[in-house]
Amino acid sequence: MKKEQEIQMLKDFSDANSTSGFEEDFVKLFTQTVKGLADVKVDGMLNVYAAKKENKRDRPVIQLDAHSDAVGFITQAVRPNGMIKFVPLGGWVKYNIPALRVKIKNRDGEYISGVVATKPPHFMTEAERNNVPDVSEMSIDVGSSSRDETINDYKIDTGCPIFVDVKCEYNEKNGLFFGKDFDDRFGAAAMVDVLDNLKGEETNLNVVAALSSQEEVGLRGAYVTARAVKPDLAIVLESCPADDTFTDSWLSQTGLKRGPMLRDMDTSFLPNPKFQQYACDLADKNHLPYTRSVRTGGGQDGAAIYYENGAPTIVIGIPVRYEHSPYCFSAYQDFKAAVDLTVAIIRDLTTEKLASFSKF
């Protein structure tokens, strides 16, 4: 895939509307993008299984994983004045939400623009100016003046999903993307790029790229994909939060233009140590940049896949500044390094090397 095609794919993936439980728009885009590279199936949870066309029977299976959902919101109820009371989907910090532009998918499948309403400062008390309200006290305004109008004219009511409304940009001069939902659209794009790199190529292990749903609300889809794929090995392509803007340099373990992050720990996961070291050694051999990280927060699909059947699992993370906020930065070169490392692992792996990860 040419660089221009990769950049457009990343922008299109970022712009797609997909939050937990409402992944349809992005699943449709992903399947259209990958259908020429793999045999594609979709289950009732909207998990996607893209099996490399050259796969053969009776070979060990590598599962690639990325997730289709991003943090968003869901309509809980409509207030008497027409404002929308909402609930977060995924891990939001409340001070990132006020004045956010959103779009709501109404009962007819149309997108309605709205904004997380804020009181003008002219009407705020001193206490209100210095405090962020709880999410339960926030409302979304779509321009309606009554509950009846919101429900009957705008066709918005309980259960309607709410998406961040931000357009992705790419700056050719500095190689940076600026947009929303890079977690985990960049991981999903990396899976497509890996399959494209391996198109028509024989590998020693079968490859199945699984796009899982509902990661942001409990890794739910990955438990299902792991049971379906039954992998012998797993590589999770995750977009991971960068810490380079607020952490001392000696402690910063994930930053822009430093390569992908190989995760040694988070609150849900410890990788297979032999597979982890193998990946690091192979990156060094191929002169690919990377960092390693030990995190005291966070979690990702690797935990679900690893727990399900004990297949050796690692996480290759693409650094994203300001993850789980409306506006993110990420570097093209980190995306490419993550793809290159994943391709190198798949090309290098043999059944003997796979077996060595479980020996002691």
Side-chain angles (χ1 to χ4, degrees), residues 27-49:
V27 165
K28 187 181 298 184
L29 175 60
F30 179 85
T31 55
Q32 289 171 346
T33 305
V34 80
K35 66 183 179 181
L37 304 171
D39 297 319
V40 181
K41 295 181 180 179
V42 182
D43 68 20
M45 197 180 185
L46 295 188
N47 299 305
V48 182
Y49 306 87

Side-chain angles (χ1 to χ4, degrees), residues 55-61 204-206 232 351:
N55 287 351
K56 296 179 179 178
R57 289 185 178 180
D58 302 321
R59 291 197 304 194
V61 177
N204 294 315
L205 282 70
N206 289 341
D232 298 282
T351 54

Side-chain angles (χ1 to χ4, degrees), residues 85-341:
K85 179 174 168 56
F86 62 91
V87 172
L89 291 170
W92 282 94
V93 177
K94 66 180 184 178
Y95 58 69
N96 285 331
I97 301 176
L100 174 62
R101 177 173 173 151
V102 298
K103 47 187 172 183
I104 304 172
K105 193 172 187 178
N106 72 7
R107 293 298 187 203
D108 291 341
E110 300 169 337
Y111 287 102
I112 308 297
S113 294
V115 63
V116 180
T118 57
K119 185 187 292 187
H122 315 68
F123 303 110
M124 284 185 175
T125 65
E126 191 65 29
E128 287 174 326
R129 290 179 184 178
N130 293 312
N131 288 286
V132 177
D134 291 333
V135 177
S136 62
E137 299 171 322
M138 296 180 189
S139 297
I140 291 173
D141 188 351
V142 293
S144 169
S145 297
S146 70
R147 173 180 165 85
D148 181 75
E149 184 181 3
T150 299
I151 294 173
N152 295 314
D153 294 347
Y154 287 85
K155 305 293 182 64
I156 296 170
D157 202 351
T158 301
C160 287
I162 304 165
F163 309 94
V164 175
D165 190 4
V166 174
K167 193 80 172 173
C168 185
E169 304 169 2
Y170 179 70
N171 188 321
E172 187 68 47
K173 291 182 180 179
N174 57 30
L176 293 180
F177 292 88
F178 180 67
K180 69 173 179 68
D181 298 353
F182 294 173
D183 174 21
D184 184 29
R185 305 297 165 73
F186 278 26
M191 290 202 305
V192 175
D193 214 2
V194 168
L195 290 172
D196 185 68
N197 272 266
L198 297 172
K199 185 177 181 180
E201 187 175 322
E202 287 288 339
T203 54
N204 294 315
L205 282 70
N206 289 341
V207 179
V208 178
L211 183 72
S212 59
S213 63
Q214 300 188 32
E215 189 266 1
E216 299 292 1
V217 290
L219 320 181
R220 298 170 186 174
Y223 284 104
V224 177
T225 64
R227 285 194 290 270
V229 176
K230 297 180 174 59
D232 298 282
L233 191 86
I235 300 172
V236 176
L237 290 159
E238 177 64 285
S239 300
C240 56
D243 61 8
D244 54 344
T245 59
F246 53 84
T247 303
D248 290 339
S249 59
W250 64 271
L251 185 57
S252 174
Q253 297 179 331
T254 315
L256 295 189
K257 301 184 178 180
R258 293 167 58 186
M261 176 209 70
L262 288 161
R263 186 171 303 201
D264 286 289
M265 175 185 155
D266 62 33
T267 57
S268 67
F269 175 79
L270 291 160
N272 176 285
K274 291 186 177 180
F275 186 18
Q276 176 86 333
Q277 191 57 51
Y278 161 83
C280 293
D281 292 343
L282 193 61
D284 291 336
K285 179 181 177 181
N286 287 275
H287 308 290
L288 295 171
Y290 66 93
T291 62
R292 296 178 70 157
S293 73
V294 170
R295 296 301 191 206
T296 56
Q300 36 63 45
D301 279 346
I305 297 169
Y306 207 4
Y307 295 168
E308 191 57 39
N309 65 354
T313 301
I314 61 170
V315 178
I316 299 177
I318 301 166
V320 174
R321 281 185 185 166
Y322 318 120
E323 201 168 89
H324 285 210
S325 83
Y327 309 102
C328 306
F329 283 108
S330 196
Y332 173 76
Q333 68 187 61
D334 293 334
F335 166 80
K336 283 300 294 181
V339 170
D340 291 345
L341 177 55

